[in-house]
Amino acid sequence: MNEAHAQLVQMTKMLKNLRRWLQAGIAHAEAKKFDPAVLLTARLAPDMFTLTQQVQSACDGVKFLAARLSGTQAPKHPDTEATFEQLFARIDAVLGYVEGFKPEQFEGWQERTITMAFLPGKGAKAGDWLHEFNLPNTYFHFTTCYGILRHNGVTLGKTDFIGPVTLHDL
Amino acid sequence: MNEAHAQLVQMTKMLKNLRRWLQAGIAHAEAKKFDPAVLLTARLAPDMFTLTQQVQSACDGVKFLAARLSGTQAPKHPDTEATFEQLFARIDAVLGYVEGFKPEQFEGWQERTITMAFLPGKGAKAGDWLHEFNLPNTYFHFTTCYGILRHNGVTLGKTDFIGPVTLHDL
């Protein structure tokens, strides 16, 4: 198993799960007869990101996992989304980008050094960056998207968060 | 690198981060002159777990990562905590358990089949269980602990969530 590619496949699934949570948010708003757009600016705290920003950040986390661990340049997404439709388009753009990656594009990924713009002069080994920064950070944004929607009454459960798990008969 | 052990080390750090978030919660309550125990029953939605249950679930996620991927039996923790002190003791018990694991105890971990009590007759390959269930689920509980505290006004930021990242000079 190629860990980098396996985590990218998992994060691809999380993006598809996120798409369904947002659709449940729209359905909830329509059932309650409020404008779904109200949800886009909801936050868990005044100094936390909005739902829109949480979605953008989750998208970036997945995109950068693919780009950084394969040593390639990620496409730019300037965070201009202001509607659910635009967020779905953002998710689909990232899905289209990451679903094109093959396991062999991550060969030797553990030898890479990852740099971060906000930490000039410093680098992290790719494994440390994946385990200590990218995964916790991206799961933070996915979970906070889910938490904002749940806090606003959207009907979702843990199985919606986790999505399908690959099982076999014993 | 041994992925199973590397993720356990990362989750050990997350438990230590969680300890600090809870301490920040107590400090916030004391500054605002309310009983810190109020935070323990706080939830993001009426049908989501309380802070206490989120902490217990995060602890279990880390404990089971170590036990299942090493093919050993986890210690039992019966979810009886009702105070911050008892939650700190639970976190410390799990830290004491997982910090005893050495990388070689996870040798051949990818060959293991993981079973789940709620899915009789089914099993998951250890890598699938780690990537598709254990990590997203445990990060869900860590993030929701953080979200509940932030939603209740506790002063924390993303660097508190992530904790220290292993860096080197370029």
Side-chain angles (χ1 to χ4, degrees), chain A residues 3 7 10 44 47-48 121-123 131-132 136-137 141 150-151 158 161 165-170, chain B residues 3 7 10 44 47-48 121-123 131-132 136-137 141 146 150-151 158 161 165-170:
Chain A
E3 182 192 350
Q7 288 290 10
Q10 163 62 17
L44 291 183
D47 55 346
M48 285 181 78
K122 299 281 182 184
H131 300 144
E132 301 182 25
N137 188 59
H141 293 297
R150 292 286 268 108
H151 184 64
K158 180 65 85 60
F161 182 79
V165 175
T166 308
L167 298 170
H168 55 80
D169 293 331
L170 289 176
Chain B
E3 181 193 350
Q7 287 290 10
Q10 164 62 17
L44 291 184
D47 55 347
M48 286 182 77
K122 298 281 180 185
H131 298 145
E132 300 182 26
N137 189 58
H141 293 296
Y146 177 97
R150 291 287 267 110
H151 184 63
K158 181 63 86 58
F161 182 80
V165 175
T166 307
L167 298 169
H168 56 79
D169 292 330
L170 290 176

Side-chain angles (χ1 to χ4, degrees), chain B:
Chain B
M1 187 185 56
N2 176 320
E3 181 193 350
H5 187 257
Q7 287 290 10
L8 184 61
V9 169
Q10 164 62 17
M11 286 302 183
T12 303
K13 188 179 72 182
M14 291 304 298
L15 280 178
K16 293 177 183 175
N17 294 348
L18 170 60
R19 222 183 185 294
R20 284 191 290 271
W21 312 335
L22 295 174
Q23 282 163 338
I26 295 172
H28 175 73
E30 289 172 350
K32 292 278 187 182
K33 302 194 194 307
F34 69 83
D35 182 356
V38 170
L39 295 171
L40 295 175
T41 55
R43 312 170 190 259
L44 291 184
D47 55 347
M48 286 182 77
F49 276 2
T50 62
L51 178 60
T52 293
Q53 292 169 306
Q54 300 289 353
V55 172
Q56 291 166 337
S57 301
C59 284
D60 273 357
V62 179
K63 175 177 81 175
F64 286 126
L65 189 161
R68 299 288 167 84
L69 299 187
S70 64
T72 56
Q73 199 66 37
K76 288 196 197 308
H77 296 124
D79 292 338
T80 53
E81 293 82 6
T83 67
F84 272 100
E85 281 314 306
Q86 289 167 355
L87 287 177
F88 289 134
R90 169 82 170 257
I91 292 170
D92 291 343
V94 177
L95 282 171
Y97 169 65
V98 300
E99 289 186 335
F101 279 83
K102 298 192 170 27
E104 50 267 31
Q105 289 175 262
F106 298 98
E107 259 173 41
W109 70 277
Q110 293 195 27
E111 308 309 316
R112 297 191 183 283
T113 294
I114 313 293
T115 58
M116 287 162 276
F118 55 93
L119 286 169
K122 298 281 180 185
K125 289 184 192 173
D128 292 337
W129 178 81
L130 176 64
H131 298 145
E132 300 182 26
F133 180 74
N134 179 267
L135 293 177
N137 189 58
T138 309
Y139 275 124
F140 176 93
H141 293 296
F142 276 120
T143 305
T144 308
C145 288
Y146 177 97
I148 290 170
L149 291 166
R150 291 287 267 110
H151 184 63
N152 280 276
V154 178
T155 303
L156 291 167
K158 181 63 86 58
T159 55
D160 298 301
F161 182 80
I162 297 288
V165 175
T166 307
L167 298 169
H168 56 79
D169 292 330
L170 290 176

Side-chain angles (χ1 to χ4, degrees), chain A residues 59-67 74-77 90 94 97-98:
Chain A
C59 285
D60 274 357
V62 179
K63 175 177 83 176
F64 287 127
L65 189 162
K76 289 197 196 309
H77 296 123
R90 170 80 170 259
V94 176
Y97 169 64
V98 299

